[in-house]
Each structure stands twice: as C-alpha cells, then as structure tokens.
Amino acid sequence: MTSAPESKISPPALLVRDLSKAFEGTVAVREATFEVTRGEIVALLGPSGCGKSTTLRMIAGFERPDDGLIRVNGETAVGPGVWQPPERRRVGIVPQDFALFPHLSVAENIAFGLADGHRAWWTRVWRRFRHEPPPARVAEMLDLVGLRDFGERYPHELSGGEAQRVALARALAPEPAAVLLDEPFSNLDQNLRASLRLAMRRILKAADTAAVFVTHDREEALSLADRVAVMREGRIEQIGAPDDIYYRPETRFIGSFVGDANVLPATSLRGGAETELGFVILLDPIDSEDGRPLDILLRPEQLALKPAAADDAEAGRVINSEYYGHDQVVRVRLPSGLQVETRLRTETVWQPDDPVQVVVLDDAIGFAR
Ligand code: ATP
C-alpha cells in the first residue's frame, strides 16, 4: 500500500479564517475569512466603522480576536491556544501617518526594520562613520522605492510621497510574508494620489510580497488592488477582482458603494427584466416566474442618450449636466418621474430640458425584491 503523496501546494502568504472581535458588546468584525497569496494585493474597502482597521490590527497582532484563525506562510499566528506577539509574525506594517523616526536618517529608518542584532550593530557603525555605505539590504530597499540618493536625509526633508515610500521600504526590508497598509494615501495631497497609487503597486509587485491595505476610497481600491474585499457592519460581503465587484455586485449595497449606480424597479420577464427603459437583458439571468418584482442596477456609463421629439410622451427630459472635458454626467427625469444618471462622451453637449431617449447599452444586474 502506498501512502498519499504530500501536498506540493504551498500555503497562502496570509490566511484569515472566521476572525471575530467585539468591543464591549459592539461587534466590530464578524467571521472575516480571506486569503492572500504571495505577490497579491488585497484591499479591505468599506464605509467608516465597518471593521477594516480592526481586521488589520488583528492580523498585525495589535488587537486580540475573540475567535478565528490567522496563519502567515502556513504558520499559525492566532488560533486555538496560540498567540504570537506582533514581532514574531512575519508581517510588515505601514501606519497611516508613516511613523518615521524623526531623529534617524532615511537609511537608519529602513535599517530599523531589519533584524535586531544587525540593526543595533549597523546603527552604531552608521553613526560613527557617516559615509559608510549602507548595508546591501538597505541600499536594495532604497533602490526599490526609487530613493537611492535619499539615505542620508531626515524625515523632515521628505515630501509626503517620499515619506510614504520610506515607510514602505522599512516595512519590506525584513522580507515579510505580508505587508499591511492602513489608509496609505489619506495623509497625501489629493492631486498626488493617482500617481502614487501606480508607484505603490509597482513597488509591491516588485517586492513580491502579499499586501493588504485598508481604504474607504473606492477608486483607490479598484485601481490598486488585485482583489477587493468589501466590508459592511463587520462582515466581508463580497471579495473579488475589481471588475467583478464593479459589474457583478452580489448585493445592492455593494453595487451602490463601489460606484455610481442607477437602481430601477423592474419585473422579471423570460429571465430578463421589463423596465421603464424597455426590456433589459440580465448578466446573470434570474430564475423566477415572469412578473416578479426586481431591482436592476446599471452604471451611468452603461446608458446613452438619443435626441427625442419634443412631443414624444415616452421621452425623458435632461435635468442638468456636468461637463468634465473627457466626459459629462447628464441627469435625466423619465416620464414616471424617476431620475437616472448617465456618463457620456462629450461630442454632444446636453442642455437642461432637452427631450431625450435613454438607451441601455449593456446587460444589467438584477436583484430579486
Ligand atoms: P474607519 O474607516 O472610520 O477607520 P473602520 O472600518 O476601520 O473605520 P474600525 O476602526 O475597525 O472601523 O471599527 C469598527 C467598530 O469597532 C466601530 O464601531 C468602532 O467604533 C469600534 N471600535 C474600534 N476600536 C475600538 C476600541 N478600541 N474600543 C471600542 N470600540 C472600538
């Protein structure tokens, strides 16, 4: 008889299972379950108070869960009878305010993340011989975050974006299995955020570590993450690739939270839906009898406008439009009084009161009522 072959599949870099935490009777996190593989970036997205930071703090070891399991590279950090303190977990942390040590140079800040013995030795050397080259790992980290010549600067000599990259380099220096980032862009200038998101993604991918970041900004989550976990009232309501979350939301809450949404009343008809905009095909047909009440969800960019005759009783009327150059958002009142929002290219500029026909361009998401 031969024994079963050992599994060759390596464990996920981070595994979180049924993690729960209550504060004085208020449940902050309920049975959060997800995994992050090496090289993958996962966003925890949700409104204020939904439990994102508490989840991150439990993974970091700053908060003790009431229940659940956390494994880092297959090693149990939290589980029945197991509690590893933060420093034992192979997890790096980038705090919201970056928390750089003001009295240490950039290179010293990064070296601080390295093993204790090495750090103490090296900090002494660095102090005494300012011009010693930093250890290879510090130089490598400076290169990784694009700050090769910044090693001798002090935190007050850095821009917000540079400080963020130093904090990231410090967290990555000891080669953690996973890095945790708490609202990484909230302390940065609004105009810089889009370019910094790209830089952050490039650095995390190059470091090939698992990353989890917390945000309440949907654009940040959709553009930076490989997968987004949407949280609500302590629960992860859906986890998936950004386009899944955006175009295939599993609940009305997710549909409205991750993007602008038109939710229209409808009735089921042959697996599709009859609406005020006509018959709409559903992306995932609803298995129900004809005539059942539904809600359908369509994004503003999934609708178009056509000019209609002024006396057309089925035409809608433009309420207003916002012109952005690359596109415009036009709000329309339908004959029933219902309002819809469309996002259109700008070759036609619509004016208030224009009679229009609203055209559905894509399949919709249907929710049974
Ligand atoms: P935000 O985006 O505002 O930071 P969040 O999604 O990160 O919100 P958490 O900070 O995890 O939410 O909080 C979840 C819930 O737990 C909230 O109701 C909060 O008030 C509560 N909570 C968090 N920390 C504590 C604490 N130390 N003591 C008591 N209640 C807490």
Side-chain angles (χ1 to χ4, degrees), residues 110 134-148 169 172-173 175 206-207:
I110 296 172
R137 183 69 184 156
V138 173
E140 201 183 315
M141 289 296 102
L142 285 169
D143 264 352
L144 176 71
V145 299
L147 295 175
R148 178 181 294 185
L172 292 172
E175 297 184 72

Side-chain angles (χ1 to χ4, degrees), residues 240-286:
D243 62 331
D244 257 351
I245 296 281
Y246 188 77
Y247 284 117
R248 281 194 146 89
E250 284 169 6
T251 63
R252 286 177 189 74
F253 164 76
I254 292 179
S256 305
F257 189 75
V258 300
D260 296 334
N262 294 296
V263 179
L264 304 173
T267 47
S268 61
L269 184 64
R270 300 189 304 275
E274 190 59 37
T275 75
E276 192 177 355
L277 303 178
F279 180 77
V280 171
I281 298 170
L282 297 178
L283 203 54
D284 297 313
I286 287 197

Side-chain angles (χ1 to χ4, degrees), residues 23 28 47-54 183:
F23 294 103
S48 184
C50 71
K52 309 179 291 289
S53 304
T54 305
E183 297 269 1

Side-chain angles (χ1 to χ4, degrees), residues 274-342:
E274 190 59 37
T275 75
E276 192 177 355
L277 303 178
F279 180 77
V280 171
I281 298 170
L282 297 178
L283 203 54
D284 297 313
I286 287 197
D287 185 20
S288 81
E289 294 163 27
D290 288 358
R292 287 284 171 88
L294 307 176
D295 284 323
I296 60 147
L297 183 145
L298 283 160
R299 301 285 179 205
E301 66 274 17
Q302 295 180 307
L303 301 175
L305 297 182
K306 275 205 240 166
D311 60 355
D312 183 344
E314 293 188 357
R317 294 276 169 170
V318 171
I319 302 168
N320 56 32
S321 68
E322 287 166 57
Y323 183 84
Y324 296 112
H326 44 75
D327 60 11
Q328 61 184 325
V329 172
V330 183
R331 281 174 208 87
V332 174
R333 181 174 290 108
L334 301 176
S336 67
L338 205 72
Q339 295 185 16
V340 292
E341 196 175 275
T342 63

